[in-house]
Structures are given as C-alpha cells and as structure tokens.
Amino acid sequence: EYSRKYDKKVGDGSSVFKQVDREQSLIHLMRVNLLKRMESSINSFALTVEKLLNEINFLIQKIDSHNGGDIEELSIEDIETDTEEFEPYLIGRKVKVLIQDIDAVRWKQDLEEDRNRLTTLLHEARMIETERDAKLHRLKEIITYKCRHPINPGNKKVIVFTAFADTANYLYEHLAEWAKETQGIHAALVTGTGTNKTTLKDINKDLNSILTTFSPVAKERHKIDEKATHEIDLLIATDCISEGQNLQDCDFLINYDIHWNPVRIIQRFGRVDRLGSKNKACLLYTSD
C-alpha cells in the first residue's frame, strides 16, 4: 500500500507513472550498463562494481542506523524531501523514499545477497591485471603492426575510440609511454571530462591544440604556426570528438568498444573518412 504514495500523475492527471515500472526500467538500464562496461574494459567494469558495492554498504548502514522517532507518524506527502532535516529518514536520489515505507528486513537481505555477489565479481575482475589483459595486449599488437606496415606510406596515425572515460584513462596509462618507447610516436588523451594529456612537451593541452597537433594538415596548422613540426600519432578519445572534427590526416580508427548507439560508430569513422583526405585508403577496426 505504500508504493501508491510514490506514483505520480502525468499529463492532465488521467495517467499514472508507477514507481514500480520506473524501477523495472532502471534494472534493465543498469544491466546494460554493466555489460557495456565489461565489454569496454575489465578496468571500467571493476570500477563500476566497486562503486555499486560502496553504495550498497552505505544503504545497509543507513538501514541499520535508522531510528524513525517522531517521523513514524508522518507521510511522504507531509515532509519536504529536499531539506537536510529529513535526510536521515530518506533513501534515494531522484525519488526520495521514507525508510519507514520500505520493507527494510527483506530489502536488507537482498542488499546483502547483492553485496556477496558483487564482492566475488570484484575479486575476479581485480585478478585480471594489466599483464593478463588480453584485449589490451591485442591492441598493442594492432598498433605495432600499423606503425610497421602503414596503410599509406609514412602514416603511423591511429585513433582509438571508447565510450567510457575510465577506459580511455586506462588505455592512455598503459599505452602512452609504451608507444613512445617502442614505436617512437607521441600519444594524447581527450575525454571531455577531467584533464587532457599528451606525451608531447611544451604544447597546450586544450582540445583544439591536441587535435591540431594530431591532424595538422586537415586543421591547417601552418596558418597558425608555420614553424611547428611536432605531431601526435596516437589519439585515445571518447565520443566527445566523434562529431564535427576534421581528423583525416589519420587513416586508421579503432573501436575499442561499441557505443550503445550505433550511429556513433558512423560518426567516429566520419572523422577520418572525409573529403580532403590525402590518404588513398583508410581502415576501421573493431576490437574483439
């Protein structure tokens, strides 16, 4: 009977948006997100599992420490959910729910079961360290082969796209210095969140400077700096640059993971397969 308190009327009031339906939809979204994170990289998957574990531990602690007191007589309609005064009695972010309206015993049992399963998953994920990351090793092999056997003469440029900033950071951490030492090329990271990075010294790390250094011909760098000769050959990025960028100096694009929206794959490849390209051929590769 408590669930009806959290149902909301929509439109002219003739329809009701049920909280139970919202929760079922969220379950499917969370499942897809976990699978996409695991497809992307074991590192991203582990970070998500760890975040979920922390959230579950917080909820269990909140249930254990809950003491309704005088609020037991109140209903969710009687309190202001956006004030700190009632925060100890509420659970949830977008939809605030009174702890007293929850079957706390049953929910805690479910949370503890989730905690046990997620703990096992996190342990297994953490066992796959960099040395055992076959997907990362395969990426290194592909980049090595491309640098030694360029599609177009002298062109060592590679873009690696991923849907997640966590994966992009992970790849840069384990590829940047390796690419510099073994392939003699400089790398850069662009995610749209956090700080951009590059192994090139003495250049600005803003988005435009990095992309211009990666694709100086298409970006017409000579009009800005005639003396600049340094270049970035390995660009690791999220879909923050999958639209509106001229990066056709590059002829090889790698999808390290598949975005949930297939249009993104077309947009990614559109960065290199563009009018004005000096390359006779370009290649799209999807990691397995």
Side-chain angles (χ1 to χ4, degrees):
E1 70 274 14
Y2 292 104
S3 64
R4 289 194 293 271
K5 296 180 180 180
Y6 299 92
D7 294 340
K8 292 185 178 181
K9 293 182 179 181
V10 295
D12 58 1
S14 59
S15 302
V16 177
F17 182 72
K18 294 184 177 180
Q19 181 63 15
V20 65
D21 294 334
R22 176 180 180 272
E23 291 175 356
Q24 287 299 317
S25 298
L26 286 174
I27 289 171
H28 296 307
L29 287 172
M30 290 179 69
R31 180 186 294 118
V32 170
N33 184 56
L34 273 172
L35 290 173
K36 296 304 290 182
R37 297 279 286 183
M38 183 163 56
E39 176 207 23
S40 179
S41 69
I42 195 64
N43 177 72
S44 291
F45 177 71
L47 289 173
T48 300
V49 171
E50 186 174 32
K51 183 178 180 180
L52 286 172
L53 265 174
N54 291 335
E55 184 71 16
I56 286 174
N57 286 328
F58 169 76
L59 290 172
I60 292 175
Q61 182 181 10
K62 195 162 188 177
I63 291 172
D64 288 340
S65 61
H66 175 63
N67 181 11
D70 296 336
I71 202 172
E72 295 289 349
E73 303 299 325
L74 295 178
S75 173
I76 190 67
E77 296 92 349
D78 303 326
I79 65 174
E80 297 181 13
T81 58
D82 57 349
T83 60
E84 294 184 4
E85 177 186 357
F86 296 103
E87 189 61 30
Y89 311 106
L90 297 166
I91 281 181
R93 291 192 178 93
K94 187 172 183 179
V95 177
K96 301 286 186 178
V97 179
L98 278 171
I99 298 177
Q100 69 185 39
D101 290 344
I102 297 171
D103 185 348
V105 175
R106 180 180 172 186
W107 193 36
K108 182 180 176 182
Q109 290 174 345
D110 290 340
L111 287 171
E112 288 174 339
E113 182 180 352
D114 285 349
R115 180 171 63 182
N116 292 336
R117 294 186 179 188
L118 289 170
T119 299
T120 301
L121 282 174
L122 182 60
H123 174 72
E124 295 293 330
R126 291 300 188 201
M127 287 179 63
I128 306 177
E129 299 175 342
T130 307
E131 293 74 16
R132 296 184 58 200
D133 190 343
K135 189 176 181 182
L136 177 63
H137 292 319
R138 177 59 178 155
L139 179 60
K140 287 183 176 181
E141 291 175 358
I142 295 168
I143 293 172
T144 299
Y145 185 86
K146 202 277 180 179
C147 289
R148 296 179 181 177
H149 304 86
I151 302 169
N152 298 280
N155 193 335
K156 294 184 177 183
K157 294 188 182 296
V158 179
I159 301 178
V160 180
F161 267 110
T162 172
F164 300 105
D166 290 332
T167 298
N169 286 315
Y170 173 73
L171 292 178
Y172 183 82
E173 178 184 352
H174 296 290
L175 290 178
E177 290 302 323
W178 166 85
K180 184 179 177 181
E181 293 173 3
T182 64
Q183 309 304 320
I185 60 176
H186 285 285
L189 169 71
V190 175
T191 62
T193 59
T195 304
N196 299 327
K197 299 177 182 178
T198 178
T199 54
L200 260 179
K201 307 298 182 183
D202 302 324
I203 72 163
N204 293 326
K205 293 181 175 60
D206 62 279
L207 175 64
N208 189 59
S209 294
I210 287 179
L211 296 184
T212 300
T213 308
F214 176 73
S215 188
V217 176
K219 292 284 190 180
E220 299 182 326
R221 182 176 64 176
H222 66 280
K223 293 183 178 180
I224 304 171
D225 188 351
E226 295 181 353
K227 298 180 180 179
T229 58
H230 47 268
E231 293 189 23
I232 293 168
D233 287 317
L234 174 60
L235 179 62
I236 301 166
T238 60
D239 291 280
C240 69
I241 65 163
S242 66
E243 294 183 74
Q245 295 293 342
N246 294 318
L247 304 177
Q248 59 264 44
D249 287 23
C250 179
D251 61 354
F252 191 56
L253 188 149
I254 299 174
N255 290 312
Y256 197 69
D257 51 42
I258 300 296
H259 197 280
W260 63 268
N261 182 357
V263 174
R264 289 291 190 186
I265 306 304
I266 301 171
Q267 291 173 335
R268 289 175 179 181
F269 196 47
R271 298 315 95 222
V272 300
D273 185 18
R274 299 177 69 79
L275 293 174
S277 173
K278 305 298 183 181
N279 299 306
K280 292 183 177 180
C282 52
L283 180 65
L284 172 68
Y285 181 88
T286 301
S287 292
D288 47 14

